[in-house]
Amino acid sequence: MILAILITFFAAGAAPLVASRAGRRTGWILSLVPAGLFAYFATWIPAIQGGEIVRVAVDWVPQFGVEFAFVLDGLSLLFALLITGLGTAILAYAGAYLEGNPDIGRFYVSLIAFMGAMLGVVLADDLIAMFVFWELTSITSYLLIGFKHEKAYARKSALQALLVTGGGGLALLAGVILLASAGGTTSITGLLAAETPITEHALYLPAFILIAIGAFTKSAQFPFHFWLPNAMAAPTPVSAFLHSATMVKAGVYLLARLDPLLGGTAAWTWSLSVVGAITMLVGAIAAVRHTDLKNVLAYSTITALGTLVVLIGLSYPAALKAAIVFLIVHSLYKSVLFLVAGSVDHETGTRDVLALGGLRSKMPYSFGAALLAGLSMAGLPPLFGFVGKELTYKAKLGVEGIGWMLPSVAVIANALTVIAAAILVIRPFFGRYNSPKRAHEAPFAMWIGPVIIGGAGLVLGIVPGILAGIVAPAVDAVAGEPVPIKLALWYGLNTALLLSVITVLLGAFGAWKMDALRMGLQHFDALRRAGPEAVYDRLMNGLPRLAEWQTSFFQGGSLRTYLAATITTLVALVGGTYLWQVGIVVPWSAPDLMPIEIVVTGIVAVSALAVTVVRSRLVAVTALGVVGVGVALLFVLFSAPDLAMTQFLVEILIVVIVLLVMQHLPDEVNRTSLGRRIRDAGIAVGAGAVVTVLLLSVGQTPVSRHLSDFFGETAVPGGFGRNVVNVILVDFRALDTLGEIAVIAIAALGVFVLVKMNAPLDGLTRPAHPSVVLQTGTRLLMSVLLLASLFMLWRGHNEPGGGFIGGLVAAAALVLYTIAYRQAGTERMLRVAPRVLIGSGLAVALASGLFAVMAGKTYLTGLWAGIETGTGVLKLGTPLLFDVGVFLTVVGVVMTMVLALERISTAPPPLMDGEGEGTQEPGTQGERIRPPSRRAPTAPETSEKLPAS
Amino acid sequence: MKVLLVLPVLIPAVTGILTLLLRRSRFAQRALSVLGAVALLGASSAVLWTVQTNGIQVAQMGNWAAPFGITLVADSFSAGLITISAFVAVAVAVYALRGMDVEREFFGFHTLFHLLMMGINGAFITGDLFNMYVWFEVLLIASFVLLVLGNEEKQLEGAVKYVGINLVASVSFLTAIGLLYGFTGSLNFADIATSMGNIQEAGLEATIAALFLVGFGIKAGLFPLYFWLPASYHTPPAPVAAIFAGLLTKVGVYSLIRIFTLLFPDPTGYTKTLLLVVAGATMVIGVLGALTERNVNRLLAFLVISAMGYVVMGLGFFTTLGLAGAVFYIFQDIPVKASLFLIGGVMERETGTTEVGKMGGLYMHRPLLALSFIVPAFSLAGFPPFPGFWGKLTLVQAGLATENYLIVAIALLVGVLTLLVVAQVWARAFWSPAREEGLVSTDSPLQRSVLQAPIVVIGVALLAVGLYAQPLFDLAQQAADNLTNTAPYIQAVLG
């Protein structure tokens, strides 16, 4: 059984290959697959008839207890036979119908994959597995409805079907999960075998409602029915297969399958029969209203689906028997009528019955098939449709309590169906010959299937008993208990027969007065505007508007707005949580401060405030520098000289760099309104307050010192350095340092990219006029500074200093050199590009940790060697090498940035828009630095930037 | 093999450094880039395999016992993430051979790409709070430079928003680290987890958790902190966007899960509700943003946000099942998002536009691409048999089991809307007829296959996972077990 499904999917995958090789015979060859499967399933009939139920399972997702489980009982066998049987005819038919279409390969992929999925749905014994196949039918159906994808209508219809069935599918998913959690298993067999009925479980009602929504959307029940007529945008064989005979019955199948589990309650009976009855009527009325063959068929399919849902809702043996028989009846006649409608369309070029007539002599075989099917649809003896209708009426009459309501609805719906059958058969085939195109009989592949299936309807009508072997086990499965089945064409005179007669008479009268009837029904068209489809349309139009509104609400702003929103969130969330959990508590305790600390803190605070209020950018930068220096002073006060030195050097470099680019920034205009500034100030103060309160609460608890104590105690004996900070940087937490030098390295690359990529050419820079005094002074100072930097690096492990500080000092020396000798001079002196320095530095640092790996220790473990010198033992180790790497990286980083920026600083300020265009030499502005480029020189974006002159 | 655990950080670092040093040879850079990614995949897989066979792996850097040095830890969650990330990295490295232009390569694309991978992997496997912050900085600066690489105006605009808001994340994260250090005196995850007493006494657990939520929430693109994401993700070229979309938000959400489960394992109802509200709003906002978006890359960016909502929802349930769902969802969402952005890049190349409405003809002329689009797109919408379905199934189950019906309903509804979004892209860009001039790409078949091969490989992998989800589920389940029962993790680190 699993193999059967796998074969189907495999065949789907192979379909394009077959289509490209086999040409015209594609349809025949591929139809062998369902034919073979049909034969395979047919061999099971005797066993199933004998009461056997076959179950195969392999673990799929054991985590959830989900199995790839399949069961073959009466119900699934019936569906499998229908799917493969009709599938054979339809695959063969489609080969001729779509002959010459270049997309036929992909068409068959979807169609056969659909067939596999559908088999999966009806065979699956696991709710989750069933759901997977269920959704797979939705996707394949989507692809098939959109087959004529160049047409907007097809795309829209496909989307509608996908959304409605897919949305219902998600409800089904929730329902299935609830059901599984209520029953404790996902296995359907397991659920059915449960001791306590699910219907008494608290989750029964939500589970049932959700599952019903899933089934209703799939089986096109009111109010979800509207997608089905639109799905007729699919090629006709698809409509015949998916949207009439098989897929839309998946919902019915699901309800039937779960009837023993969920059925029998008032909720079940009422919701199914009411929804089904409304669906019957809506479908039947709309069917008569239309003149397009496929629309008529689609709406009459909705009627039939409604009938089936009502019958399953009634949920007692006679009704279920009627449901099963009617299901077979409908699948047979409806697929024939669809296929014939496709042939008519194919041969005449239209599906509008008003433009058709008298085709019976031109298309005799199709006509014969259509006639048999139409009679069956109308429920006339001796066709199988009559048997089905009799049973249906009997079932509906058997309901106690509802009285005549249900049969009356059924009679009206069925009478309308008779009219629909007349529209489908009488209009095109009888009367005066009328066709837009010269009509002739369709190819063999397109009529043989309908004739066989139509003939089957006749045979089964005369001797329905031969089907008992299939119907009986199916009814047993749905009823959950053995039900005695006898099928006959003639049950004798009874009320059901009377209703049949009334139906046919009404129908005949209606068919006679068809035009008047249709005119009368036009009045109902206004209802459509308020119907479910209108709701869908309004939803589809309204959603984008809602989406646009929310997007412009949340996503319209600039960085300022975003930052304000983000920080407000921070304040509200963190502050709010604090208030909620702790209350309005300020954990204040009198601090123990030295006067100098108060002074420095005060300076920092005032400078920080100044940054926010001063108008001049220059002053702001300077004030920011003061903040940094103040923090560095605090580091000094807390005896962290390394931090202080680093901070000082970085602050100085930042101010220098900012000043370098300052002249190129546009004039500062403060456009912010006062109200906004007040709001921003509020946010800022809030953020500060939150952090302050949190920090104060830290102060309430004694700090655990196990980490810092360890560092202090271990630095010398374990890390061989007296400078704990440096030992932390290059040994205890060297990985952090490795990450951080990577950060600054990348930042330097970023500056390089920002300044040099697509930037104005060097030609723009003014010739440098360095001062000779500066040059001479620099030469002297340079060597001192470089020596100092190496000294800092060397002593760093024991005294304040280290790779970072040494690197910064060296970089400062080189910056000085750059000021004196310009970029070119520095580049000449360095010989290697600063980026190579960065790479080498990173490489040295990274490699220093690898020695330990080679020695069989973990990465970055320090390896030390002692060298005897005159004064004592000199300890050398890999952490020192690591520090060398840091040193090199820092030098490279600073130089990359400075050399890139130096060019900007010596360039004249860029011209503001609209000023001085004439003073520029033509052509210079548009030129860009380019690495060896393959882009065409005449790329439009380049030429557009050339000045107009 | 004591070095194994550090390889996911070292290999991209070495690759990055070598490509920087060999910056003049385009060929050497490209060869190194692909080789480096492949080596990374090999090393990550080895880590995963070791974790699967021997349990949680721990490496104490510098041989300093925890909590004094920095500890790298790989459990199933981390190992799975680095392996899947490496897989995506290989795909992107190959795609970039054609999808990246020579200027960007010259200015250091390969270097930045691998250094970004170093940061991402570091964040995934570190067991140390401050070290995690360092890796966050690495990946923030690397992603920033990748964003501006090209120096186009829209890139700069996006990058400034990106870095501006992400710096708030850094500040928030750093503040939280400072507070935790102040209370516990430690930076090691496991060590902190065992000494949360002070914080509980001060009643500050939820407050510090909120601080982490803001910091990681910005990184993960959660509501209402996601603004930077749609403002920037559409600006860089496809390979960069693919890595960003696949991995960056995942780092944020990984950290969120790691910190919350390890340090705040028994959240109050308040925190749970907060997470679920954030999750629901994130899902809805993301998908609504995508619904109205016409630029294919921005549309995908909004879908990135929406997906994060699902993950946070799984965390918000605070059950093993919910976490398993969240982890599974992250695992599958990495290749899904990366492949969608790569496909978006090809769509742009083929049609010459980023406007979905102006595209067309891709189904007719690029059937393979169309097929490869269906897999991640429908996976995103949670359709079987694609992996997104299994993630959503688990999450829905977890939600129903904890009786959080509202959020489950929202999640399912968002699924329908996502379906609408991807189906509209499909209908407009693939099904619609091509513009008059047809497809504009001048790529030769070989060049086209360089672009499509990674997409197809990801698609096949996703389909395989969708059809047989059990192995990945096992991994997610193990990960979730370790997240809810943190004793083995702490035991492995502290010994």
Side-chain angles (χ1 to χ4, degrees), chain A residues 60 62 106 142 149 548 554-555 577 706 731 733 736 753-754 757-758 835 859 930, chain B residues 23 60 62 64 103 128 131 150-151 191 227 270 288 292 363 426 431 467 470:
Chain A
W60 194 12
R106 281 191 271 186
Y142 170 69
H149 54 84
E548 254 161 55
F554 283 116
Q555 197 66 36
T577 307
H706 66 298
D731 199 343
R733 298 188 66 89
D736 281 347
V753 166
L754 281 168
M757 198 170 184
N758 295 334
R835 278 182 295 158
Y859 184 64
R930 286 201 191 282
Chain B
R23 68 192 199 290
Q60 313 286 5
W64 299 106
E103 276 115 328
D128 186 281
N131 192 236
N151 244 349
D191 195 33
F227 306 111
Y270 171 82
L288 285 182
T292 173
Y363 180 73
W426 170 261
W431 264 351
L467 292 177
Q470 185 55 32

Short mmCIF file of all heavy atoms in Angstrom, two decimals, chain A residues 60 62 106 142 149 548 554-555 577 706 731 733 736 753-754 757-758 835 859 930, chain B residues 23 60 62 64 103 128 131 150-151 191 227 270 288 292 363 426 431 467 470:
data_model
loop_
_atom_site.label_atom_id
_atom_site.label_comp_id
_atom_site.label_asym_id
_atom_site.label_seq_id
_atom_site.Cartn_x
_atom_site.Cartn_y
_atom_site.Cartn_z
N TRP A 60 7.29 7.38 11.48
CA TRP A 60 7.62 8.56 10.67
C TRP A 60 8.27 9.61 11.56
O TRP A 60 9.43 9.92 11.42
CB TRP A 60 6.35 9.09 10.00
CG TRP A 60 6.64 10.05 8.91
CD1 TRP A 60 7.85 10.31 8.34
CD2 TRP A 60 5.70 10.88 8.24
NE1 TRP A 60 7.72 11.24 7.34
CE2 TRP A 60 6.41 11.62 7.26
CE3 TRP A 60 4.32 11.10 8.35
CZ2 TRP A 60 5.79 12.52 6.42
CZ3 TRP A 60 3.72 12.00 7.51
CH2 TRP A 60 4.45 12.71 6.55
N PRO A 62 8.44 9.47 15.29
CA PRO A 62 8.08 8.81 16.55
C PRO A 62 8.00 9.77 17.73
O PRO A 62 7.31 9.50 18.70
CB PRO A 62 9.18 7.77 16.75
CG PRO A 62 10.14 7.93 15.66
CD PRO A 62 9.60 8.87 14.65
N ARG A 106 4.83 19.35 -16.87
CA ARG A 106 4.58 19.84 -15.51
C ARG A 106 3.14 19.61 -15.09
O ARG A 106 2.84 19.42 -13.92
CB ARG A 106 4.92 21.33 -15.44
CG ARG A 106 6.40 21.56 -15.33
CD ARG A 106 6.71 22.99 -14.99
NE ARG A 106 6.84 23.80 -16.20
CZ ARG A 106 7.21 25.08 -16.19
NH1 ARG A 106 7.47 25.67 -15.06
NH2 ARG A 106 7.33 25.75 -17.31
N TYR A 142 -3.86 23.92 -6.32
CA TYR A 142 -3.48 25.32 -6.62
C TYR A 142 -2.71 25.40 -7.92
O TYR A 142 -3.01 26.21 -8.80
CB TYR A 142 -2.63 25.83 -5.46
CG TYR A 142 -1.95 27.16 -5.67
CD1 TYR A 142 -2.69 28.34 -5.74
CD2 TYR A 142 -0.57 27.25 -5.78
CE1 TYR A 142 -2.06 29.56 -5.92
CE2 TYR A 142 0.06 28.46 -5.96
CZ TYR A 142 -0.68 29.62 -6.03
OH TYR A 142 -0.07 30.82 -6.21
N HIS A 149 -1.53 29.89 -16.45
CA HIS A 149 -1.07 30.91 -15.52
C HIS A 149 -0.86 32.27 -16.15
O HIS A 149 -0.66 33.25 -15.47
CB HIS A 149 0.23 30.45 -14.86
CG HIS A 149 1.28 30.07 -15.83
ND1 HIS A 149 2.11 30.98 -16.40
CD2 HIS A 149 1.62 28.86 -16.35
CE1 HIS A 149 2.93 30.36 -17.23
NE2 HIS A 149 2.65 29.08 -17.21
N GLU A 548 -0.97 48.39 4.85
CA GLU A 548 -0.28 49.62 4.52
C GLU A 548 -0.34 50.61 5.67
O GLU A 548 0.63 51.28 5.98
CB GLU A 548 -0.92 50.25 3.28
CG GLU A 548 -0.07 50.10 2.04
CD GLU A 548 -0.88 50.31 0.79
OE1 GLU A 548 -1.51 51.37 0.68
OE2 GLU A 548 -0.90 49.39 -0.06
N PHE A 554 4.22 52.12 11.62
CA PHE A 554 5.38 51.64 12.36
C PHE A 554 6.69 51.84 11.62
O PHE A 554 7.75 51.80 12.20
CB PHE A 554 5.24 50.14 12.65
CG PHE A 554 4.30 49.84 13.77
CD1 PHE A 554 3.14 49.14 13.53
CD2 PHE A 554 4.56 50.26 15.05
CE1 PHE A 554 2.25 48.86 14.56
CE2 PHE A 554 3.68 49.99 16.07
CZ PHE A 554 2.53 49.30 15.83
N GLN A 555 6.63 52.01 10.32
CA GLN A 555 7.85 51.87 9.54
C GLN A 555 8.11 53.11 8.71
O GLN A 555 8.83 53.06 7.75
CB GLN A 555 7.73 50.62 8.65
CG GLN A 555 9.04 50.09 8.09
CD GLN A 555 9.94 49.57 9.16
OE1 GLN A 555 9.49 49.00 10.13
NE2 GLN A 555 11.23 49.78 9.03
N THR A 577 8.81 46.77 34.18
CA THR A 577 8.98 45.51 34.88
C THR A 577 9.49 45.75 36.30
O THR A 577 9.05 45.10 37.26
CB THR A 577 9.96 44.61 34.11
OG1 THR A 577 9.53 44.50 32.77
CG2 THR A 577 10.03 43.23 34.72
N HIS A 706 34.93 36.04 43.78
CA HIS A 706 35.71 34.81 43.50
C HIS A 706 36.48 34.91 42.20
O HIS A 706 37.56 34.37 42.06
CB HIS A 706 34.83 33.55 43.56
CG HIS A 706 33.77 33.45 42.51
ND1 HIS A 706 32.74 34.34 42.36
CD2 HIS A 706 33.57 32.51 41.56
CE1 HIS A 706 31.95 33.96 41.38
NE2 HIS A 706 32.42 32.86 40.87
N ASP A 731 45.71 36.29 28.34
CA ASP A 731 45.76 34.90 28.79
C ASP A 731 44.41 34.41 29.30
O ASP A 731 43.75 33.60 28.67
CB ASP A 731 46.84 34.74 29.86
CG ASP A 731 47.26 33.29 30.03
OD1 ASP A 731 46.50 32.42 29.57
OD2 ASP A 731 48.33 33.04 30.62
N ARG A 733 41.44 35.74 29.40
CA ARG A 733 40.33 35.96 28.49
C ARG A 733 40.85 36.38 27.11
O ARG A 733 40.34 37.29 26.47
CB ARG A 733 39.37 37.01 29.05
CG ARG A 733 38.73 36.58 30.39
CD ARG A 733 37.66 37.53 30.83
NE ARG A 733 36.52 37.52 29.94
CZ ARG A 733 35.48 36.71 30.08
NH1 ARG A 733 35.44 35.84 31.06
NH2 ARG A 733 34.50 36.76 29.22
N ASP A 736 38.42 36.76 24.17
CA ASP A 736 37.73 38.05 24.05
C ASP A 736 38.59 39.04 23.27
O ASP A 736 38.11 39.74 22.38
CB ASP A 736 37.47 38.65 25.44
CG ASP A 736 36.27 38.03 26.11
OD1 ASP A 736 35.51 37.33 25.42
OD2 ASP A 736 36.09 38.25 27.32
N VAL A 753 36.39 50.95 3.09
CA VAL A 753 35.31 50.81 2.11
C VAL A 753 34.57 52.13 1.96
O VAL A 753 34.33 52.62 0.85
CB VAL A 753 34.34 49.70 2.56
CG1 VAL A 753 33.05 49.78 1.76
CG2 VAL A 753 34.97 48.34 2.42
N LEU A 754 34.21 52.72 3.10
CA LEU A 754 33.38 53.92 3.05
C LEU A 754 34.09 55.07 2.36
O LEU A 754 33.49 55.86 1.65
CB LEU A 754 33.00 54.34 4.47
CG LEU A 754 31.86 53.53 5.08
CD1 LEU A 754 31.75 53.81 6.56
CD2 LEU A 754 30.56 53.86 4.40
N MET A 757 35.72 53.30 -1.65
CA MET A 757 34.93 52.63 -2.67
C MET A 757 34.03 53.66 -3.35
O MET A 757 33.28 54.36 -2.70
CB MET A 757 34.09 51.54 -2.04
CG MET A 757 33.59 50.54 -3.05
SD MET A 757 32.86 49.15 -2.19
CE MET A 757 32.46 48.10 -3.56
N ASN A 758 34.14 53.74 -4.65
CA ASN A 758 33.34 54.68 -5.43
C ASN A 758 33.52 56.11 -4.96
O ASN A 758 32.61 56.92 -5.05
CB ASN A 758 31.85 54.35 -5.35
CG ASN A 758 31.56 53.02 -5.99
OD1 ASN A 758 32.29 52.58 -6.87
ND2 ASN A 758 30.50 52.37 -5.55
N ARG A 835 46.69 47.38 5.63
CA ARG A 835 45.78 46.24 5.75
C ARG A 835 46.55 44.93 5.90
O ARG A 835 46.06 43.98 6.49
CB ARG A 835 44.85 46.18 4.54
CG ARG A 835 43.67 47.12 4.68
CD ARG A 835 42.74 47.01 3.50
NE ARG A 835 43.40 47.47 2.29
CZ ARG A 835 43.04 47.13 1.07
NH1 ARG A 835 42.01 46.31 0.91
NH2 ARG A 835 43.66 47.57 0.02
N TYR A 859 43.24 25.32 23.10
CA TYR A 859 43.61 26.51 22.37
C TYR A 859 43.88 27.66 23.35
O TYR A 859 43.16 27.83 24.33
CB TYR A 859 42.48 26.86 21.41
CG TYR A 859 42.78 28.04 20.51
CD1 TYR A 859 43.82 27.96 19.58
CD2 TYR A 859 42.04 29.20 20.58
CE1 TYR A 859 44.10 29.03 18.76
CE2 TYR A 859 42.31 30.28 19.75
CZ TYR A 859 43.35 30.19 18.84
OH TYR A 859 43.63 31.25 18.03
N ARG A 930 38.24 52.78 -9.40
CA ARG A 930 37.69 51.46 -9.71
C ARG A 930 38.78 50.43 -9.67
O ARG A 930 39.84 50.63 -10.26
CB ARG A 930 37.06 51.47 -11.09
CG ARG A 930 35.76 52.19 -11.11
CD ARG A 930 34.95 51.76 -12.31
NE ARG A 930 33.82 52.65 -12.44
CZ ARG A 930 32.75 52.55 -11.69
NH1 ARG A 930 32.67 51.60 -10.80
NH2 ARG A 930 31.75 53.39 -11.84
N ARG B 23 44.70 39.80 -0.86
CA ARG B 23 43.61 40.58 -1.40
C ARG B 23 43.79 40.92 -2.86
O ARG B 23 42.87 41.37 -3.52
CB ARG B 23 43.42 41.86 -0.58
CG ARG B 23 44.56 42.84 -0.72
CD ARG B 23 44.42 43.91 0.34
NE ARG B 23 45.20 45.08 -0.02
CZ ARG B 23 46.52 45.13 -0.02
NH1 ARG B 23 47.21 44.06 0.31
NH2 ARG B 23 47.15 46.23 -0.36
N GLN B 60 37.76 24.53 27.70
CA GLN B 60 38.15 25.67 28.53
C GLN B 60 39.30 26.36 27.84
O GLN B 60 40.42 25.83 27.80
CB GLN B 60 38.58 25.19 29.93
CG GLN B 60 37.63 24.20 30.58
CD GLN B 60 36.34 24.84 31.09
OE1 GLN B 60 36.11 26.03 30.89
NE2 GLN B 60 35.50 24.06 31.73
N GLY B 62 42.47 28.44 26.98
CA GLY B 62 43.65 28.77 27.77
C GLY B 62 43.86 27.82 28.93
O GLY B 62 44.69 28.08 29.79
N TRP B 64 42.16 27.40 31.45
CA TRP B 64 41.73 27.93 32.75
C TRP B 64 40.36 27.36 33.06
O TRP B 64 39.42 27.55 32.30
CB TRP B 64 41.65 29.45 32.72
CG TRP B 64 42.96 30.11 32.42
CD1 TRP B 64 43.31 30.70 31.25
CD2 TRP B 64 44.08 30.20 33.28
NE1 TRP B 64 44.60 31.17 31.33
CE2 TRP B 64 45.09 30.87 32.58
CE3 TRP B 64 44.35 29.78 34.59
CZ2 TRP B 64 46.35 31.14 33.12
CZ3 TRP B 64 45.59 30.05 35.13
CH2 TRP B 64 46.58 30.73 34.40
N GLU B 103 34.03 44.56 -7.66
CA GLU B 103 34.39 45.66 -6.75
C GLU B 103 34.25 45.23 -5.30
O GLU B 103 35.13 45.47 -4.47
CB GLU B 103 33.48 46.87 -6.96
CG GLU B 103 33.90 47.77 -8.09
CD GLU B 103 32.86 47.76 -9.17
OE1 GLU B 103 32.21 46.69 -9.33
OE2 GLU B 103 32.69 48.79 -9.84
N ASP B 128 30.02 31.94 27.79
CA ASP B 128 30.46 33.05 28.63
C ASP B 128 29.74 34.31 28.17
O ASP B 128 29.68 34.63 26.99
CB ASP B 128 31.97 33.22 28.45
CG ASP B 128 32.53 34.28 29.39
OD1 ASP B 128 32.39 35.47 29.10
OD2 ASP B 128 33.10 33.87 30.42
N ASN B 131 32.00 37.05 26.58
CA ASN B 131 32.51 36.57 25.32
C ASN B 131 31.40 36.63 24.25
O ASN B 131 31.65 36.96 23.09
CB ASN B 131 33.03 35.14 25.50
CG ASN B 131 33.83 34.67 24.30
OD1 ASN B 131 33.52 33.66 23.71
ND2 ASN B 131 34.86 35.41 23.93
N GLY B 150 29.94 48.69 -1.05
CA GLY B 150 29.30 49.13 -2.28
C GLY B 150 29.05 50.62 -2.22
O GLY B 150 29.00 51.29 -3.23
N ASN B 151 28.88 51.12 -0.99
CA ASN B 151 28.78 52.56 -0.80
C ASN B 151 27.66 53.21 -1.58
O ASN B 151 27.76 54.36 -1.98
CB ASN B 151 30.11 53.22 -1.21
CG ASN B 151 30.75 53.88 -0.02
OD1 ASN B 151 30.11 54.00 1.02
ND2 ASN B 151 31.98 54.29 -0.17
N ASP B 191 28.02 29.23 35.75
CA ASP B 191 28.35 29.74 37.07
C ASP B 191 27.27 30.73 37.53
O ASP B 191 26.82 30.69 38.68
CB ASP B 191 29.72 30.42 37.02
CG ASP B 191 30.28 30.66 38.41
OD1 ASP B 191 29.99 29.82 39.30
OD2 ASP B 191 30.97 31.67 38.61
N PHE B 227 12.66 47.78 13.73
CA PHE B 227 12.66 48.77 12.65
C PHE B 227 13.86 48.69 11.72
O PHE B 227 13.76 48.95 10.53
CB PHE B 227 12.60 50.18 13.24
CG PHE B 227 11.46 50.37 14.18
CD1 PHE B 227 11.67 50.53 15.54
CD2 PHE B 227 10.17 50.38 13.71
CE1 PHE B 227 10.62 50.69 16.41
CE2 PHE B 227 9.11 50.56 14.58
CZ PHE B 227 9.34 50.70 15.93
N TYR B 270 4.15 36.78 34.40
CA TYR B 270 4.37 38.07 33.76
C TYR B 270 5.31 37.93 32.58
O TYR B 270 5.01 38.37 31.47
CB TYR B 270 4.94 39.03 34.80
CG TYR B 270 5.43 40.35 34.24
CD1 TYR B 270 4.53 41.38 33.99
CD2 TYR B 270 6.77 40.54 33.98
CE1 TYR B 270 4.97 42.58 33.48
CE2 TYR B 270 7.22 41.74 33.46
CZ TYR B 270 6.33 42.76 33.22
OH TYR B 270 6.77 43.95 32.71
N LEU B 288 1.98 41.38 7.98
CA LEU B 288 1.26 42.50 7.39
C LEU B 288 2.21 43.39 6.60
O LEU B 288 1.86 43.90 5.52
CB LEU B 288 0.55 43.32 8.47
CG LEU B 288 -0.71 42.70 9.06
CD1 LEU B 288 -1.33 43.63 10.08
CD2 LEU B 288 -1.71 42.35 7.98
N THR B 292 1.99 44.16 2.16
CA THR B 292 1.85 45.39 1.39
C THR B 292 3.11 45.72 0.62
O THR B 292 3.12 46.64 -0.18
CB THR B 292 1.50 46.55 2.35
OG1 THR B 292 1.52 47.75 1.62
CG2 THR B 292 2.49 46.65 3.46
N TYR B 363 8.27 31.28 -14.24
CA TYR B 363 7.79 29.89 -14.25
C TYR B 363 8.02 29.28 -15.62
O TYR B 363 8.44 28.14 -15.76
CB TYR B 363 6.30 29.88 -13.91
CG TYR B 363 5.65 28.53 -13.88
CD1 TYR B 363 5.90 27.64 -12.86
CD2 TYR B 363 4.76 28.16 -14.89
CE1 TYR B 363 5.29 26.40 -12.83
CE2 TYR B 363 4.15 26.93 -14.87
CZ TYR B 363 4.41 26.05 -13.84
OH TYR B 363 3.81 24.83 -13.81
N TRP B 426 4.46 34.24 -5.97
CA TRP B 426 4.47 33.17 -6.98
C TRP B 426 3.63 33.59 -8.19
O TRP B 426 4.07 33.48 -9.35
CB TRP B 426 3.93 31.89 -6.35
CG TRP B 426 3.67 30.78 -7.31
CD1 TRP B 426 2.46 30.43 -7.85
CD2 TRP B 426 4.63 29.87 -7.87
NE1 TRP B 426 2.62 29.38 -8.69
CE2 TRP B 426 3.94 29.01 -8.73
CE3 TRP B 426 6.01 29.73 -7.73
CZ2 TRP B 426 4.56 28.00 -9.44
CZ3 TRP B 426 6.63 28.71 -8.44
CH2 TRP B 426 5.92 27.86 -9.29
N TRP B 431 4.19 33.15 -12.28
CA TRP B 431 3.13 32.77 -13.21
C TRP B 431 2.84 33.84 -14.26
O TRP B 431 2.53 33.51 -15.40
CB TRP B 431 1.86 32.46 -12.42
CG TRP B 431 1.71 31.00 -12.15
CD1 TRP B 431 2.47 29.98 -12.67
CD2 TRP B 431 0.73 30.38 -11.30
NE1 TRP B 431 2.03 28.78 -12.19
CE2 TRP B 431 0.97 28.98 -11.35
CE3 TRP B 431 -0.31 30.86 -10.51
CZ2 TRP B 431 0.18 28.07 -10.64
CZ3 TRP B 431 -1.08 29.94 -9.80
CH2 TRP B 431 -0.84 28.57 -9.86
N LEU B 467 10.20 15.48 4.37
CA LEU B 467 9.65 14.13 4.19
C LEU B 467 10.04 13.22 5.35
O LEU B 467 9.29 12.33 5.71
CB LEU B 467 10.15 13.54 2.87
CG LEU B 467 9.60 14.21 1.62
CD1 LEU B 467 10.22 13.61 0.37
CD2 LEU B 467 8.09 14.09 1.56
N GLN B 470 12.34 13.15 11.26
CA GLN B 470 12.73 12.57 12.54
C GLN B 470 14.15 12.92 13.00
O GLN B 470 14.34 13.32 14.15
CB GLN B 470 12.52 11.06 12.52
CG GLN B 470 12.77 10.37 13.83
CD GLN B 470 11.95 10.98 14.95
OE1 GLN B 470 10.84 11.46 14.73
NE2 GLN B 470 12.48 11.00 16.16
#
